[in-house]
Amino acid sequence: MATIDDVARAAGVSTSTVSYVLSGKRPISAPTRARVERAIEKLGYRPHAGARALASSRTNVIALMAPLRVGVSVPVIMQFVAGVVTRARDFDHDVLLLTQDDVSGLDRVTSGSMVDALVMMDIEADDPRVPLVAAAKQPTVLIGLPEDPEGLSCVDLDFEAAGRLAVRHLAGAGHTDVALIGSPPEVLRRHTSYAERMMRGLRNQAKSSGVTVDVEACDSTPSGATEAVDTLLATAPDTTGIIVHNEGALPHVLARLADRGIVVGTDMSVVAVCPTDVALSQRIPMTSIDLPAEDIGKVAVDMVMARLEGEQPSETRLLAPVLTERASSAPGPAGALG
Amino acid sequence: MATIDDVARAAGVSTSTVSYVLSGKRPISAPTRARVERAIEKLGYRPHAGARALASSRTNVIALMAPLRVGVSVPVIMQFVAGVVTRARDFDHDVLLLTQDDVSGLDRVTSGSMVDALVMMDIEADDPRVPLVAAAKQPTVLIGLPEDPEGLSCVDLDFEAAGRLAVRHLAGAGHTDVALIGSPPEVLRRHTSYAERMMRGLRNQAKSSGVTVDVEACDSTPSGATEAVDTLLATAPDTTGIIVHNEGALPHVLARLADRGIVVGTDMSVVAVCPTDVALSQRIPMTSIDLPAEDIGKVAVDMVMARLEGEQPSETRLLAPVLTERASSAPGPAGALG
DNA sequence: TTAGCGTATTGAAACGCTTCGACGATCCAG
DNA sequence: CTGGATCGTCGAAGCGTTTCAATACGCTAA
């Protein structure tokens, strides 16, 4: 492998000149730059990442800590990941993937200076990783919202507003008895932030809209969905509007409703909270509140890069929910308009 | 951040001694080792990854090039990824995630010495990435099988055997007209290796078992699946056995069959080729040939690490398919036993 | 003519680690 | 007792960059 010195020799300049051509941190005359670039080209030179990291304390790598936990929808995670990786490249960064059980990994990559920054997903209300990264020298942004962000930046869909929006939509269409088929019990047990925020918004809006709301946790399996639907229909038989906030269970919920002879879009209005492509790949195009996973991933990278460059203060960004009406929801017993 | 020199000073030894304690490459007396370890502990010392990479030409990072392409099942990809990440940690390595469009990324991470080795997924028959990594100094293993591996190691499910096994199963149960609902057209157009191998095995076995076989490409969408089922039933109405090799389309295929009044497990035998958990989370537990994605990922790491340590020759490992009978398949018109 | 300035370039000192050769001490065989 | 191994430790030379201070070279202004 050619080194920067080889390039310098080939171009007839000093090492530092080559470095400055590469980094653009100092003005270089056009002819010199051209000679250097030609030499780089000819030698197929690539700077050594380790040497660069050592000298500059910059690795051009960010860590992405992704869950792979039971109870979270894998395709949705992947959308976040895709957003992060794509956007990271725009900033000339690569992505080191850390998984769930890898809590020690946090220490390794931060203390070992393996990465310039971190993005963490699947944040719990009281997440043990938060104090760890808050103490690290690398800037971090959380996808999700812990109880105490300890000065870290956060980004997420505004699930509380989403909960309100969903109820408002159903109540406005004349439904008086609505329900949530939500996250799996494990997710709730972990106090995963999005699930709790969703429920809060839901309950508040239900109160102020004067509708009843029943909440069912739901495993992302066929049997889990069946059970949730059956329980719901038993405990709250007057329900005419369901909000499903569980990508994995969604198809099975619809299947169970169909099995029980309930026609979605007619007998029962269903609002899904999920990425649009998931909403569209159900048996019926679903009325849904979009979970813009890929966008959120991108925003996360934007935020963390901003902190890396300037000394921005930390911030929390909650994206406004957008509801798109499709075939799965319709006016309820009290008639349209609420 | 404490450096190795700080540790050496605190322990009253030389820098190199600390290094040898860390790496174990030279014998160190018990008392000295203890002193050094205490100092490390006290100072919270972590070696600087960049410095280490520079001095030792080892990064303890492997690159994972994962697709995120249209037409491949995201949950399945994630299982590969999980296997790779998990196993990599067993070898004290982290994983740098490269995505699809990142062909330049290959050059970046190899020439820039960012990684010690590579694992590449979603290999096409004539994959442009193969010559690139074959020329790189880092060992690489391919998950999949290109036409010419150019000396690289490969690992995958033996899809050709899987195709044979599926047909043998159906033919043995008395089915004389079988069909494949396979990968999306894009996947075929790319000459993705697993799809082609599957079809080859299928056709060969069909010939020698004396059964007819109809092949339908299939988009992983509800409409794609509907179309594939409808076309199949129109062009080969005598079909009583279907092999579905398309995780994304599977639920929709089953839904369409149900819509058309065809009872899977009675009127129609269906064999899925997919991870077991996917097979189990359908409306009926599916007879399936397991795609052990996570295992394959792990084996890939094992192989690449073996090449990294010793100077093993490259090898190709094709995992034998295993068919598990469940509720979706039954004897066909010619009666059980073939 | 010279002092002073700005711009393009250079030299050399880090950056934090690994590793090779060397060295002193201890041990055993002859 | 001596010569040669063996064992544990050390010193120093890299590894390939970046970056700071310094320099060289026109300029312009005085």
Side-chain angles (χ1 to χ4, degrees):
Chain A
M1 291 288 99
T3 73
I4 198 173
D5 288 308
D6 298 332
V7 174
R9 212 167 304 126
V13 299
S14 74
T15 316
S16 42
T17 300
V18 178
S19 179
Y20 287 124
V21 166
L22 251 25
S23 70
K25 294 195 178 177
R26 292 230 177 142
I28 299 288
S29 70
T32 305
R33 176 192 311 284
R35 283 215 314 290
V36 169
E37 278 165 353
R38 221 170 305 126
I40 289 177
E41 181 70 23
K42 197 179 73 188
L43 298 177
Y45 166 72
R46 293 272 175 184
H48 186 286
R52 180 169 267 191
L54 178 57
S56 67
S57 334
R58 284 292 227 107
T59 62
N60 277 39
V61 173
I62 70 178
L64 171 59
M65 179 149 215
L68 301 187
R69 271 173 173 158
V70 49
V72 292
S73 164
V74 172
V76 177
I77 296 174
M78 263 309 213
Q79 294 196 15
F80 282 110
V81 173
V84 169
V85 172
T86 306
R87 199 82 184 97
R89 286 304 310 146
D90 294 340
F91 289 95
D92 195 30
H93 278 245
D94 279 295
V95 172
L96 196 74
L97 185 65
L98 261 30
T99 53
Q100 160 64 6
D101 20 19
D102 226 3
V103 190
S104 65
L106 277 186
D107 195 38
R108 178 160 28 88
V109 302
T110 55
S111 314
S113 299
M114 298 184 71
V115 301
D116 295 339
L118 295 95
V119 173
M120 277 185 18
M121 303 177 44
D122 199 35
I123 303 298
E124 302 172 18
D126 185 23
D127 202 301
R129 298 169 297 171
V130 169
L132 238 168
V133 295
K137 59 177 179 297
Q138 291 91 344
T140 299
V141 11
L142 310 177
I143 295 183
L145 205 53
E147 209 150 89
D148 178 5
E150 307 194 24
L152 300 173
S153 290
C154 306
V155 56
D156 206 352
L157 177 65
D158 189 339
F159 279 100
E160 197 165 335
R164 280 187 256 117
L165 178 56
V167 171
R168 219 162 40 231
H169 172 74
L170 289 171
H175 296 273
T176 54
D177 293 82
V178 307
L180 169 70
I181 291 188
S183 301
E186 301 96 326
V187 171
L188 296 176
R189 214 172 300 127
R190 289 200 299 263
H191 298 285
T192 306
S193 107
Y194 61 78
E196 306 209 320
R197 287 182 284 140
M198 181 78 190
M199 282 174 41
R200 197 181 317 138
L202 205 77
R203 292 210 162 104
N204 287 346
Q205 185 66 44
K207 199 169 301 170
S208 62
S209 290
V211 307
T212 73
V213 55
D214 182 82
V215 172
E216 302 290 336
C218 179
D219 264 324
S220 304
T221 60
S223 62
T226 300
E227 204 174 305
V229 169
D230 290 351
T231 308
L232 169 61
L233 262 30
T235 61
D238 296 334
T239 300
T240 58
I242 301 180
I243 298 155
V244 180
H245 180 200
N246 184 326
E247 293 83 3
L250 182 55
H252 306 121
V253 166
L254 298 180
R256 183 54 180 173
L257 288 171
D259 285 352
R260 297 201 40 167
I262 297 169
V263 179
V264 168
T266 307
D267 308 333
M268 184 71 78
S269 286
V270 179
V271 176
V273 180
C274 63
T276 295
D277 63 311
V278 173
L280 290 176
S281 67
Q282 304 303 319
R283 44 179 67 197
I284 294 185
M286 304 294 297
T287 293
S288 70
I289 294 177
D290 184 31
L291 175 57
E294 186 158 353
D295 286 345
I296 293 175
K298 290 187 174 177
V299 171
V301 172
D302 287 341
M303 290 171 71
V304 88
M305 285 296 156
R307 302 210 62 187
L308 206 50
E309 332 247 272
E311 258 322 322
Q312 322 288 337
S314 74
E315 53 173 335
T316 290
R317 252 153 83 177
L318 294 181
L319 278 52
V322 175
L323 185 147
T324 304
E325 226 171 322
R326 302 200 184 83
S328 67
S329 66
L337 191 68
Chain B
M1 291 289 101
T3 73
I4 198 173
D5 289 307
D6 298 331
V7 173
R9 212 168 303 125
V13 299
S14 74
T15 316
S16 43
T17 299
V18 177
S19 180
Y20 288 124
V21 166
L22 251 25
S23 69
K25 295 194 178 179
R26 290 221 180 152
I28 299 287
S29 70
T32 306
R33 175 192 312 285
R35 283 217 314 290
V36 169
E37 278 165 354
R38 221 171 304 127
I40 288 177
E41 181 70 24
K42 196 179 73 190
L43 298 177
Y45 166 72
R46 292 271 176 185
H48 186 286
R52 180 170 266 192
L54 178 57
S56 67
S57 333
R58 285 291 227 108
T59 62
N60 277 38
V61 173
I62 71 178
L64 171 59
M65 179 147 216
L68 300 187
R69 272 173 173 157
V70 49
V72 292
S73 164
V74 172
V76 178
I77 296 174
M78 263 310 215
Q79 295 196 16
F80 283 111
V81 173
V84 170
V85 172
T86 306
R87 200 81 184 96
R89 285 305 311 145
D90 294 341
F91 289 95
D92 195 30
H93 278 246
D94 279 295
V95 172
L96 196 73
L97 186 65
L98 261 29
T99 54
Q100 160 64 7
D101 20 19
D102 226 2
V103 190
S104 65
L106 277 186
D107 196 37
R108 179 160 27 90
V109 302
T110 55
S111 314
S113 299
M114 297 184 71
V115 301
D116 294 339
L118 295 95
V119 172
M120 277 184 20
M121 303 177 45
D122 200 35
I123 303 297
E124 302 172 16
D126 185 25
D127 201 301
R129 297 168 297 170
V130 169
L132 238 168
V133 295
K137 60 178 178 300
Q138 292 91 344
T140 299
V141 11
L142 311 177
I143 295 182
L145 205 53
E147 209 149 89
D148 177 5
E150 306 194 22
L152 300 173
S153 289
C154 306
V155 56
D156 206 352
L157 177 64
D158 189 339
F159 279 100
E160 197 165 334
R164 280 187 256 118
L165 178 56
V167 171
R168 221 164 37 233
H169 171 73
L170 289 172
H175 297 275
T176 54
D177 293 82
V178 308
L180 169 71
I181 291 187
S183 302
E186 300 95 328
V187 172
L188 297 175
R189 214 174 300 127
R190 288 200 299 264
H191 297 284
T192 305
S193 107
Y194 61 79
E196 306 208 320
R197 287 182 283 141
M198 181 77 191
M199 282 174 40
R200 197 180 316 140
L202 205 77
R203 291 209 162 104
N204 287 345
Q205 184 66 43
K207 199 169 300 171
S208 62
S209 290
V211 307
T212 73
V213 55
D214 184 81
V215 173
E216 302 291 336
C218 179
D219 265 325
S220 304
T221 60
S223 62
T226 300
E227 204 175 304
V229 170
D230 290 351
T231 308
L232 169 61
L233 263 29
T235 62
D238 296 334
T239 300
T240 58
I242 301 180
I243 298 155
V244 179
H245 181 200
N246 184 326
E247 293 83 3
L250 183 55
H252 307 120
V253 166
L254 298 179
R256 182 55 179 171
L257 288 171
D259 285 352
R260 297 200 40 164
I262 297 170
V263 180
V264 168
T266 307
D267 308 333
M268 184 70 78
S269 286
V270 178
V271 176
V273 180
C274 63
T276 295
D277 63 310
V278 173
L280 290 176
S281 67
Q282 303 302 319
R283 44 179 69 196
I284 294 185
M286 304 294 297
T287 293
S288 71
I289 294 177
D290 184 30
L291 175 57
E294 185 158 353
D295 285 345
I296 293 175
K298 290 187 174 179
V299 170
V301 173
D302 287 341
M303 289 171 72
V304 89
M305 285 298 157
R307 301 210 62 187
L308 205 52
E309 331 247 273
E311 257 322 320
Q312 322 288 337
S314 74
E315 54 173 333
T316 290
R317 251 152 84 177
L318 294 181
L319 278 52
V322 176
L323 185 148
T324 305
E325 226 171 321
R326 302 200 184 82
S328 68
S329 66
L337 191 69

